[in-house]
Amino acid sequence: MGTLISMSGELLHSKGEEGARRAKHWLDATTRANARWVNPNPTAIPKLTFEWAQGSTFSYDLGGILIGGDLDGQEFLVESKFYQTDGDQGTLYVEYLAKCYRAYVTRPDRCDNFMWITWHPFSLKKWAKLCSEGEVRSAVLAYPEKALGCEVEEAASQVDDEACKAVAERLWLILLSERQENLVISKKHLGWIRERETAEEGF
């Protein structure tokens, strides 16, 4: 039994790394994002790690800076799920929203955009509401000790509704497919664009 659990853990870890790698590749290939930080790279860990209210920590899979237009210079934080089924995404997404709330109330300067990137839809009955203020509030109430540092009985009065609204406005729910990943700019052409941008910036 222990061997099976170990193999399952290794498989999940491997899929997690694969999802982060593919999410980074796709984001970079849009030419509108520079995914600079990927867990568990040592330089990325402090950029992607935040603290729950009771002292433990959580981290995002990757992050970076958006490029161009109204989003230029904004940071983004990403949770990637390289799933072929809906799996346990519904449950994990609720915790993710609580994480985003906690990250925002502690470090709003680092929380311009929160992205959930997945290869399979989930929670289809409320898909259209997954990025709503109400869903963020419900998630915080589901994790009161971690997100608020209080007991369940006190949680409703401790939630910051303005923070829930701010988090909802910053949420991105991105659904990819393996074929879609091929319809992006090549690494060669992306390199040319990056070189051109660097030259125009005068570096």
Side-chain angles (χ1 to χ4, degrees):
M1 187 67 176
T3 302
L4 290 176
I5 293 173
S6 176
M7 289 176 63
S8 176
E10 289 173 3
L11 179 60
L12 287 172
H13 181 69
S14 176
K15 288 181 72 67
E17 288 187 342
E18 176 72 359
R21 183 189 67 79
R22 296 171 79 139
K24 171 179 167 52
H25 174 72
W26 180 80
L27 284 164
D28 287 341
T30 67
T31 73
R32 296 295 306 280
N34 183 353
R36 297 179 179 178
W37 312 303
V38 182
N39 251 327
N41 187 303
T43 60
I45 292 174
K47 290 287 188 180
L48 301 175
T49 302
F50 296 82
E51 190 172 289
W52 285 118
Q54 90 283 24
S56 62
T57 61
F58 63 90
S59 63
Y60 293 88
D61 293 323
L62 62 148
I65 306 294
L66 294 174
I67 302 167
D70 294 339
L71 301 175
D72 190 55
Q74 291 188 12
E75 287 192 43
F76 62 88
L77 298 163
V78 178
E79 185 81 10
S80 64
K81 298 298 176 190
F82 186 48
Y83 283 29
Q84 278 71 52
T85 66
D86 55 351
D88 57 352
Q89 286 189 87
T91 300
L92 294 175
Y93 185 77
V94 173
E95 184 179 24
Y96 162 78
L97 292 181
K99 289 177 178 178
C100 293
Y101 174 92
R102 180 63 188 172
Y104 178 79
V105 297
T106 55
R107 291 295 307 275
D109 56 308
R110 297 287 325 289
C111 299
D112 299 317
N113 299 275
F114 299 107
M115 299 181 180
W116 178 279
I117 300 179
T118 182
W119 280 256
H120 197 284
F122 60 96
S123 300
L124 295 181
K125 290 184 178 180
K126 57 178 183 179
W127 178 263
K129 299 179 180 179
L130 289 178
C131 293
S132 69
E133 179 182 345
E135 287 298 306
V136 176
R137 193 175 199 279
S138 294
V140 173
L141 293 176
Y143 290 89
E145 292 184 359
K146 289 184 173 182
L148 301 169
C150 68
E151 299 297 327
V152 175
E153 296 77 16
E154 307 169 59
S157 63
Q158 297 298 315
V159 180
D160 184 336
D161 289 330
E162 286 301 313
C164 290
K165 180 180 179 182
V167 170
E169 291 171 346
R170 288 160 171 75
L171 290 172
W172 299 56
L173 185 56
I174 300 172
L175 181 62
L176 295 180
S177 71
E178 295 190 51
R179 285 194 172 185
Q180 179 185 347
E181 290 178 77
N182 293 322
L183 295 176
V184 294
I185 192 170
S186 69
K187 288 184 178 180
K188 178 179 179 181
H189 289 110
L190 180 60
W192 290 348
I193 291 173
R194 294 285 191 252
E195 287 179 10
R196 177 73 177 269
E197 288 173 343
T198 300
E200 289 180 351
E201 290 171 357
F203 293 111

